[in-house]
């Protein structure tokens, strides 16, 4: 898989999961960084080998962080991801998922209607 193919796959997955977690709404890409060099803070040497993407979604009339994270995890699992939900900490609901070197994190907070789904491609190159 090329880095462009990996980026396109990740972007499509994040958008699909965000849409499944908040029925009736489409997610919006809020960040699409890459390709970048993940070692830039070390020595800056090496090629750009990863892409990082963030999608947000939400229904302003509904605040259900636990339900949205659970729906996102269900969508990820149905799509072949291995996911796990972390314990809620100070109103922060989150889950992580992995598939073929891709990593995704789902975030939602009490008293906030937004769901954030972020992911990173595996290193390619």
């Amino acid at each position: 898989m090329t880095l462009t193919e990996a980026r396109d796959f990740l972007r499509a997955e994040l958008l699909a999961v965000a849409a499944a977690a908040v029925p009736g709404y489409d997610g919006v890409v809020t960040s699409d960084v890459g390709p970048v060099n993940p070692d830039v803070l070390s020595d800056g040497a090496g090629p750009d080998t990863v892409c990082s993407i963030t999608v947000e979604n939400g229904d302003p009339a509904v605040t259900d962080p636990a339900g949205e994270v659970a729906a996102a995890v269900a969508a990820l699992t149905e799509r072949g991801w291995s996911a796990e939900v972390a314990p809620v900490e100070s109103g922060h609901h989150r889950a992580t998922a992995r598939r073929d070197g891709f990593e995704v994190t789902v975030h939602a907070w009490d008293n906030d209607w937004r769901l954030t789904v972020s992911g990173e491609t595996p290193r390619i190159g």
Side-chain angles (χ1 to χ4, degrees), residues 6 16-17 55 58 74 83 87 90 92 94 115:
V17 168
V55 171
S90 301
H92 181 199
R94 71 180 188 282
L115 174 81

Side-chain angles (χ1 to χ4, degrees), residues 88-124:
V88 177
E89 293 181 11
S90 301
H92 181 199
H93 302 256
R94 71 180 188 282
T96 57
R98 290 178 177 69
R99 176 178 171 185
D100 301 324
F102 290 84
E103 296 186 5
V104 168
T105 306
V106 180
H107 299 274
W109 293 263
D110 288 344
N111 303 314
D112 190 352
W113 54 269
R114 288 173 292 185
L115 174 81
T116 303
V117 186
S118 300
E120 188 170 280
T121 63
R123 290 183 183 218
I124 298 175

Side-chain angles (χ1 to χ4, degrees), residues 52-77:
S52 179
I53 301 171
T54 300
V55 171
E56 290 188 8
N57 200 4
D59 178 349
V62 177
T63 303
D64 182 14
E68 290 176 351
V69 169
V73 166
L76 285 160
T77 302

Side-chain angles (χ1 to χ4, degrees), residues 3-15 28-40 48-56 81 101-105 107 116-124:
L3 189 53
T4 299
E5 291 168 335
R7 179 194 161 274
D8 291 347
F9 169 78
L10 178 62
R11 186 180 176 107
E13 290 291 292
L14 295 177
L15 286 167
V28 175
V29 176
T30 57
S31 177
D32 189 348
V33 180
V36 296
N37 176 353
D39 299 318
V40 71
D48 295 338
T49 59
V50 299
C51 293
S52 179
I53 301 171
T54 300
V55 171
E56 290 188 8
W81 292 77
F102 290 84
E103 296 186 5
V104 168
T105 306
H107 299 274
T116 303
V117 186
S118 300
E120 188 170 280
T121 63
R123 290 183 183 218
I124 298 175

